[in-house]
Amino acid sequence: SSGINAEYGDGFQVKRPGDKPVKCTINLQLDHQPQQFKLDARLGRLLGIHTGTRPTIVAALWQYIKRNKLQDPVLRDQIRCDEYLQSIFNCQALKFSDIPFK
């Protein structure tokens, strides 16, 4: 028995006949391919990336916002758009959480 409880996670069990020690190698390969998104050409130029996963894009955009001090100091969930973001999102300000829907 492997002692793995399915309630706590995934696992596998190897059974073989006999009682002599055997050397073996187990290779596990991660096959995780998160969805890729293509950015608007203007946003891609601004951030320096043209395609990426959602976390990659959000992180790059957040870095741009922080670097350019665009987060509203009072309403912390609001982003004040500079001229580049205004041309992309067509607004003066927006909530960071609303960006994926723009």
Side-chain angles (χ1 to χ4, degrees):
S1 172
S2 66
I4 295 175
N5 185 335
E7 181 180 336
Y8 296 107
D10 293 331
F12 62 93
Q13 184 176 34
V14 177
K15 291 184 178 184
R16 65 175 189 79
D19 58 359
K20 299 214 190 275
V22 175
K23 289 186 178 185
C24 68
T25 302
I26 299 173
N27 292 317
L28 302 175
Q29 296 180 347
L30 180 62
D31 187 21
H32 176 66
Q33 299 172 357
Q35 186 176 5
Q36 297 281 318
F37 296 91
K38 183 176 180 182
L39 275 69
D40 175 273
R42 297 167 296 171
L43 187 58
R45 280 191 302 276
L46 187 68
L47 301 179
I49 56 175
H50 300 285
T51 59
T53 63
R54 185 180 299 269
T56 301
I57 295 167
V58 168
L61 184 55
W62 184 245
Q63 288 301 316
Y64 177 83
I65 290 165
K66 295 296 274 185
R67 182 174 51 249
N68 292 286
K69 298 178 173 63
L70 300 176
Q71 185 179 21
D72 189 295
V74 177
L75 302 171
R76 308 280 296 160
D77 64 334
Q78 290 285 322
I79 306 305
R80 296 172 298 176
C81 295
D82 61 7
E83 62 184 280
Y84 304 110
L85 293 180
Q86 284 179 28
S87 70
I88 295 167
F89 296 116
N90 297 316
C91 60
Q92 299 282 324
L94 70 156
K95 286 186 174 186
F96 190 77
S97 61
D98 291 341
I99 290 173
F101 306 107
K102 286 289 196 173

